[in-house]
Amino acid sequence: MRTPPDARSATFGVLLRAGEDRMGGSDSHQSVSGGEARNVVQAGTVQGDINILGIPRSPHTVPHQLPRPATHFVNRQDCLDRLDALAGEDGGLAVLSGQAGVGKSALAVCWSHQAAGRFPDGQLYADLRGYHRLPPQPPEETLHSFLLALDAPMDRFPTRLSGMTSLYRSLLHGKRLLIVADNVREPQQILPLLPGAPGCFVLATSRNDLDSLAVTEGATTVKVHPLVTGDAVGLFCRLSGYAAGRQVAALVDRFGRLPLTVRIIAHRARAMDHVAALAADLAAAPDRLTALATSDDVMEVRRVLSYSYHSLSPDKARLFRLLSLHGGPDFSTGSAAALAGAPTWPTLRLLRALAADNLLEELSSQRFRFHDLVRDFAHERVLADETPAERNHAIRRELEFYLRHCDAADRVLAPERPHVLTAEEHARPGTVSFADHAEAVAWCDAEIVSLLAAVDQAVELRVHDLAWKLPIALVYYLILRQHRTYRHRLTGIALQAARRQGDTWAETWCQNALGGAEGALGLHEQATASFTRALALSEELDDPRWRSMSTHNLAWALRLAGRYDAALVTQEQALRLARELGDRRGEAIDLNELGVLCIALGRYAQARDHGENALVAARDVADLLTEAEILHQLGQVHTLLDAPDAAADRFEQAIRLRRRIDDRPELATSLLELGRLCTRTHPAQAHTALEEAVRLLETLADPRVVEARALLDSLG
């Protein structure tokens, strides 16, 4: 007997099934690589998670994730030479260590670009947020991004750190890559990122020496010191246009010879007639800066930033401080405009003006971030200069901005599932829409880290409706991107928020969503318990739609746990409930799941009958996703029934639909099965299907490509 279909098809059906709106209707509107960093402050921290684009990768993608190097980089030849030597050692590990603002990140990026040719298999980069208002980035998040960049198969990602580390080291074995871990706070963040064999080089930056890495891993610490006076003067003169002289030397010495502070005062100098006027202006400022020491004292940098802040116009200053309320590491023009409660275009102009003041960095078109010290200063200013009520209003505006966008993305990615905003709410002024699937995925990819922080902010502010709606609106995207850990965490938060709100209807939805996340992690007993609780809630509500859906989900969990007989009885109950409701889409999904169970139990004729009935129901409601899944499963059933012509016909129909909805992973699956089926009877057809399957599986970095190639080779 052939192996039954995996759980993905059932999971897919369940999650598209999980609920209808309160009024009983449903809205049915059919519809990784590192980001570029611009204008990097040399002394600034290069922040931001790796941005995973929602487009298929080419086969054997070589990652090139380094941010853009700083302009006017100042001579650090001693450090560059030391890194050159360390990179030649097998299994090298270097830590660039020094105070905040000294230029560690800029040095790491500059050297990495110069040395890129020594690493033909690519360069990986991640900001571990060790010195950020956000919590440090855990190694699981970093490894997830790195594995995607290395073309690891998304649908086979390990869920535990140990498994992710093993897969990562396997992918690195025999390769020559550069791994840059920026802003490391503690050794535990970087240990899982270390390759298991010689060949790669790891470069970390940190504000401390990470001495334990030297003891346990043989790391070499390279100290990064403030600029010598001559280099600081040279940087100031290139940026300001002034000639070198004693006054300039005294000025840069006064500000500690940190590249960050030199750049700030050089920018201010461009508005002055001469250096003496600049020096006098600085001295006369109400919060005039005192000389900065060379130790890592945030208070001293704050004084420099205070001068820059007080020189801003009122509208720029307000936006600057409100931006510090953003929870994520970087932000878009849209989220900035929401915080300010202002139109997008004027906000973009202010953002670019702040970037020109070196108070923000423009990562890409209309996406920005703070240097970490600048953000800390801005946050102090918002606490001092804005009332608690205005701070809360600003955060609420941004949370609502995110909810509208998440709901709009969900309507494109999964038009058949229910949505957290009602049709009336979705149609209000300011409606957001995405042109297509790719645009919706790309937006979610760019915002996912900020969205995670936004959910935490909603919980902190006790905005319970947003705290459950944001995670639920993200569920299908999280499934698509295989963010199983995020999905589990967020649906758990959503459930608690719904309970705090005292909304049993929302709690039922969130309980179902949590069960789906648990099932995806292989936590079948927990999933069964969650769906049992959801069913009890639906009965408490006396809501037949939730009762139907919760019953279906419970049957799915029982099947995944291997309890086929119990699953069959429960799924038959779900089918009866769907028919009582006149829910044809639910009936199609229930019948398809019964077919899966019958295959598992060896009842192939029954599976065929269920599938044919499911197909009629899916076509009645024009649910293309479910229809494609049913067609593929019917192909498998006819194969098991030794009806190759009927099987081929069903696989071909599934292939046509999956092309239409651009479901590449499942398209590859159907092509592979058609090729396998036709290998003996229709070799030419098999050859065509397998050739395309190989191309898709290579693009997806799917290990089944080995099997597909072997079948293709067998055809001669």
Side-chain angles (χ1 to χ4, degrees), residues 406-466:
C406 289
D407 180 75
D410 194 39
R411 288 172 188 272
V412 172
L413 299 178
E416 297 298 332
R417 74 185 293 261
H419 308 294
V420 294
L421 295 183
T422 65
E424 293 77 13
E425 290 171 328
H426 176 66
R428 286 174 184 171
T431 295
V432 179
S433 62
F434 292 98
D436 54 28
H437 182 281
E439 186 178 73
V441 170
W443 184 88
C444 293
D445 283 342
E447 296 290 351
I448 183 59
V449 176
S450 293
L451 289 167
L452 297 172
V455 172
D456 290 336
Q457 285 181 310
V459 172
E460 183 179 351
L461 291 177
R462 303 183 65 81
V463 187
H464 302 313
D465 60 330
L466 292 172

Side-chain angles (χ1 to χ4, degrees), residues 614-638:
L615 187 60
V616 173
R619 286 173 172 169
D620 283 349
V621 293
D623 184 348
L624 301 182
L625 294 168
T626 300
E627 181 183 348
E629 181 60 35
I630 295 167
L631 286 166
H632 180 87
Q633 185 168 286
L634 282 169
Q636 293 178 309
V637 170
H638 284 296

Side-chain angles (χ1 to χ4, degrees), residues 597-674:
L597 281 164
C598 287
I599 290 175
L601 293 168
R603 303 173 186 176
Y604 303 141
Q606 281 183 273
R608 177 197 59 207
D609 294 342
H610 286 314
E612 294 294 345
N613 290 329
L615 187 60
V616 173
R619 286 173 172 169
D620 283 349
V621 293
D623 184 348
L624 301 182
L625 294 168
T626 300
E627 181 183 348
E629 181 60 35
I630 295 167
L631 286 166
H632 180 87
Q633 185 168 286
L634 282 169
Q636 293 178 309
V637 170
H638 284 296
T639 301
L640 293 168
L641 289 170
D642 196 24
D645 291 339
D649 177 67
R650 292 310 196 189
F651 283 133
E652 287 167 353
Q653 291 182 58
I655 288 167
R656 286 194 292 273
L657 265 186
R658 285 172 167 171
R659 286 194 208 284
R660 180 177 170 186
I661 60 179
D662 195 27
D663 186 354
R664 291 186 177 98
E666 295 309 311
L667 172 59
T669 299
S670 294
L671 286 165
L672 178 59
E673 290 305 314
L674 178 62

Side-chain angles (χ1 to χ4, degrees), residues 199-520:
C200 298
F201 182 66
V202 180
L203 176 59
T205 72
S206 180
R207 291 185 193 174
N208 64 63
D209 290 344
L210 303 178
D211 289 330
S212 64
L213 287 180
V215 174
T216 62
E217 304 295 334
T220 300
T221 300
V222 179
K223 296 289 289 186
V224 183
H225 301 284
L227 299 171
V228 298
T229 300
D231 287 339
V233 168
L235 176 61
F236 177 88
C237 292
R238 286 198 297 275
L239 291 170
S240 67
Y242 284 87
R246 290 182 181 178
Q247 285 184 305
V248 172
L251 193 61
V252 298
D253 281 341
R254 184 182 178 193
F255 286 90
R257 293 176 280 110
L258 294 172
L260 174 60
T261 59
V262 170
R263 285 177 176 268
I264 292 172
I265 62 174
H267 177 74
R268 180 61 182 169
R270 291 199 291 268
M272 301 294 172
D273 294 331
H274 46 73
V275 175
L278 172 64
D281 192 43
L282 291 170
D287 52 2
R288 184 179 63 87
L289 300 173
T290 59
L292 295 172
T294 58
S295 63
D296 191 1
D297 187 341
V298 177
M299 288 295 296
E300 294 166 343
V301 176
R302 183 184 298 120
R303 292 173 185 170
V304 175
L305 295 174
S306 177
Y307 174 81
S308 183
Y309 174 74
H310 287 298
S311 69
L312 297 175
S313 63
D315 53 351
K316 285 169 65 177
R318 178 176 180 270
L319 178 61
F320 171 75
R321 59 182 178 258
L322 287 177
L323 288 172
S324 69
L325 299 173
H326 176 77
D330 54 50
F331 46 86
S332 67
T333 302
S335 58
L339 280 166
T344 301
W345 176 243
T347 302
L348 177 59
R349 292 181 62 188
L350 290 176
L351 289 169
R352 286 180 171 158
L354 288 169
D357 291 334
N358 283 326
L359 294 174
L360 292 179
E361 301 172 37
E362 186 168 4
L363 301 175
S364 59
S365 178
Q366 302 195 32
R367 195 158 196 91
F368 301 81
R369 69 180 171 206
F370 278 112
H371 177 278
D372 57 348
L373 297 178
V374 176
R375 180 179 185 135
D376 290 345
F377 174 79
H379 191 64
E380 289 187 354
R381 296 319 312 165
V382 81
L383 294 178
D385 299 343
E386 301 288 348
T387 65
E390 177 51 32
R391 295 197 298 269
N392 289 343
H393 287 325
I395 294 172
R396 177 81 189 226
R397 286 193 298 265
E398 188 184 27
L399 294 176
E400 290 173 347
F401 163 87
Y402 277 134
L403 179 59
R404 289 195 302 273
H405 281 74
C406 289
D407 180 75
D410 194 39
R411 288 172 188 272
V412 172
L413 299 178
E416 297 298 332
R417 74 185 293 261
H419 308 294
V420 294
L421 295 183
T422 65
E424 293 77 13
E425 290 171 328
H426 176 66
R428 286 174 184 171
T431 295
V432 179
S433 62
F434 292 98
D436 54 28
H437 182 281
E439 186 178 73
V441 170
W443 184 88
C444 293
D445 283 342
E447 296 290 351
I448 183 59
V449 176
S450 293
L451 289 167
L452 297 172
V455 172
D456 290 336
Q457 285 181 310
V459 172
E460 183 179 351
L461 291 177
R462 303 183 65 81
V463 187
H464 302 313
D465 60 330
L466 292 172
W468 76 260
K469 288 177 180 177
L470 274 168
I472 296 303
L474 280 169
V475 163
Y476 187 73
Y477 164 75
L478 296 171
I479 295 167
L480 192 66
R481 278 293 188 232
Q482 298 291 316
H483 287 312
R484 296 187 182 96
T485 303
Y486 286 166
R487 180 182 166 200
H488 185 246
R489 172 177 170 257
L490 289 177
T491 52
I493 291 173
L495 178 60
Q496 293 303 315
R499 286 174 176 168
R500 292 189 188 103
Q501 192 176 14
D503 187 335
T504 306
W505 186 90
E507 182 182 350
T508 307
W509 192 348
C510 295
Q511 190 75 68
N512 273 293
L514 177 61
E518 290 166 337

